[in-house]
Amino acid sequence: MRRQRRGAAPLDRDAENGWEVAQLLGGPTLDGVRLAGFRDRAAVGLDMQVLPRPAVVVVIGLGDDHPLTVESAAGHRPMRSFVGSLSPGPAHIRGEGVTCVEVCLAPPAAHALLGVSPRELDGSVTALDDLWGRQARLLHERLTDATTWQERLALTDAFLTRRAAGAPSVSPEVAAAWDTIVARRGRIRVADLAASFGWSRKRLWSRFTDQIGLTPKRAAMLVRFDHAVRALHAGESAGDVALACGYADQPHLHRDVLALAGCTPGALAGRATSAT
């Protein structure tokens, strides 16, 4: 995993929505990793729909007094820390007095850092203790004992860097395929992508799915959807979003949003899906 270009604001106190948001000075060490700290300083509470996105999200709750509740098809489950897969299925997260560290992993980074293929997490929100065991508990204790955001985020960054050392990496072709899908905002044909590496469509499909956890077509769909969600939340019209994000037409956008978010683009535009 490559070293990422550094540079990030250390702290953003968002008075408008009541959340304190912190970022690591200099940015994370590893490529494909984003770190942030969140504190519900105004006690507004967390009520967040979990949407599919082109990243694996790890949330590490601090302290023991305010566990998060994950509501999914499997029922209600309290989780202090959890991992949200690329396609988590219908799920909702609620909590009061939340303080946490959030780690967003691009799929190539997740392959190395999770200890399992992202494919094994498909369709679920998994308790972090179930995935990392004793290491998750020790990290939680150290983060809870830390007194500043910079210390917490630096501890998390160092933990991830240690996990990455010697961990298996995705193949260069698969990593390049992912980067191309992201750079093109999901607007690329799988056959053209395979041909750019001298691979058959079948070979790319097999290698990419095994290492990233999604088919190339599904990855492109998620990247395109992620851009559409951001544009809808910014107040852009569904027609403009469909055109800008590479959908064939507005009904195409409607079908994808309905399939991935379970609602219409208009309904999605009014929902807050993340503290970031």
Side-chain angles (χ1 to χ4, degrees), residues 95-115:
E96 301 291 337
V98 174
T99 301
C100 66
V101 170
E102 180 186 82
V103 183
C104 291
L105 303 173
H111 178 81
L113 294 171
L114 291 179

Side-chain angles (χ1 to χ4, degrees), residues 53-54 86-87 107 119 122 178 205 208-219 222:
R53 59 189 298 189
L86 295 163
S87 298
R119 190 175 188 177
D122 189 44
W178 172 261
W205 197 281
F208 191 96
T209 303
D210 181 59
Q211 297 179 34
I212 297 297
L214 299 168
T215 66
K217 182 177 180 179
R218 180 74 172 184
L222 277 188

Side-chain angles (χ1 to χ4, degrees), residues 46 58-70 77-83 93-94 98-101 125-130 133-144:
L46 179 67
V58 180
V59 173
I60 307 167
L62 306 184
D64 299 310
D65 296 332
H66 301 286
L68 298 165
T69 299
V70 177
R77 183 180 179 187
M79 293 186 188
R80 182 175 59 200
S81 304
F82 63 85
V83 180
I93 298 171
R94 293 186 170 88
V98 174
T99 301
C100 66
V101 170
V125 177
T126 304
L128 190 58
D129 284 0
D130 293 343
R134 182 171 178 270
Q135 286 191 5
R137 294 188 290 274
L138 290 175
L139 178 61
H140 167 264
E141 291 172 3
R142 294 189 69 187
L143 294 180
T144 299

Side-chain angles (χ1 to χ4, degrees), residues 1-244:
M1 298 175 69
R2 301 185 305 276
R3 187 171 293 271
Q4 189 175 29
R5 183 176 63 83
R6 294 176 176 270
L11 184 65
D12 174 23
R13 295 182 183 274
D14 192 337
E16 183 177 347
N17 65 23
W19 285 86
E20 179 182 90
V21 184
Q23 295 179 322
L24 181 63
L25 277 170
T29 299
L30 300 173
D31 188 31
V33 176
R34 290 195 297 113
L35 296 175
F38 295 96
R39 182 173 72 91
D40 182 7
R41 61 183 177 82
V44 296
L46 179 67
D47 188 348
M48 183 180 75
Q49 179 190 10
V50 180
L51 292 176
R53 59 189 298 189
V56 175
V57 179
V58 180
V59 173
I60 307 167
L62 306 184
D64 299 310
D65 296 332
H66 301 286
L68 298 165
T69 299
V70 177
E71 303 173 7
S72 65
H76 292 44
R77 183 180 179 187
M79 293 186 188
R80 182 175 59 200
S81 304
F82 63 85
V83 180
S85 67
L86 295 163
S87 298
H92 222 86
I93 298 171
R94 293 186 170 88
E96 301 291 337
V98 174
T99 301
C100 66
V101 170
E102 180 186 82
V103 183
C104 291
L105 303 173
H111 178 81
L113 294 171
L114 291 179
V116 298
S117 167
R119 190 175 188 177
E120 296 182 36
L121 300 176
D122 189 44
S124 67
V125 177
T126 304
L128 190 58
D129 284 0
D130 293 343
L131 194 65
W132 285 348
R134 182 171 178 270
Q135 286 191 5
R137 294 188 290 274
L138 290 175
L139 178 61
H140 167 264
E141 291 172 3
R142 294 189 69 187
L143 294 180
T144 299
D145 290 342
T147 57
T148 69
W149 276 120
Q150 288 307 303
E151 185 181 359
R152 292 165 184 156
L153 295 173
L155 284 169
T156 306
D157 185 62
F159 172 84
L160 295 173
T161 301
R162 288 194 299 272
R163 282 191 67 87
S169 299
V170 301
S171 69
E173 294 86 356
V174 169
W178 172 261
D179 289 344
T180 300
I181 289 172
V182 171
R184 294 285 298 273
R185 294 187 161 196
R187 290 177 285 187
I188 187 168
R189 295 176 64 248
V190 175
D192 293 340
L193 188 60
S196 69
F197 304 116
W199 283 8
S200 68
R201 187 175 183 276
K202 182 178 180 180
R203 184 181 185 187
L204 174 63
W205 197 281
S206 174
R207 297 283 184 88
F208 191 96
T209 303
D210 181 59
Q211 297 179 34
I212 297 297
L214 299 168
T215 66
K217 182 177 180 179
R218 180 74 172 184
M221 182 182 182
L222 277 188
V223 169
R224 188 168 58 241
F225 172 74
D226 190 56
H227 283 285
V229 169
R230 296 174 189 275
L232 288 167
H233 285 163
E236 297 182 29
S237 70
D240 288 344
V241 171
L243 180 64

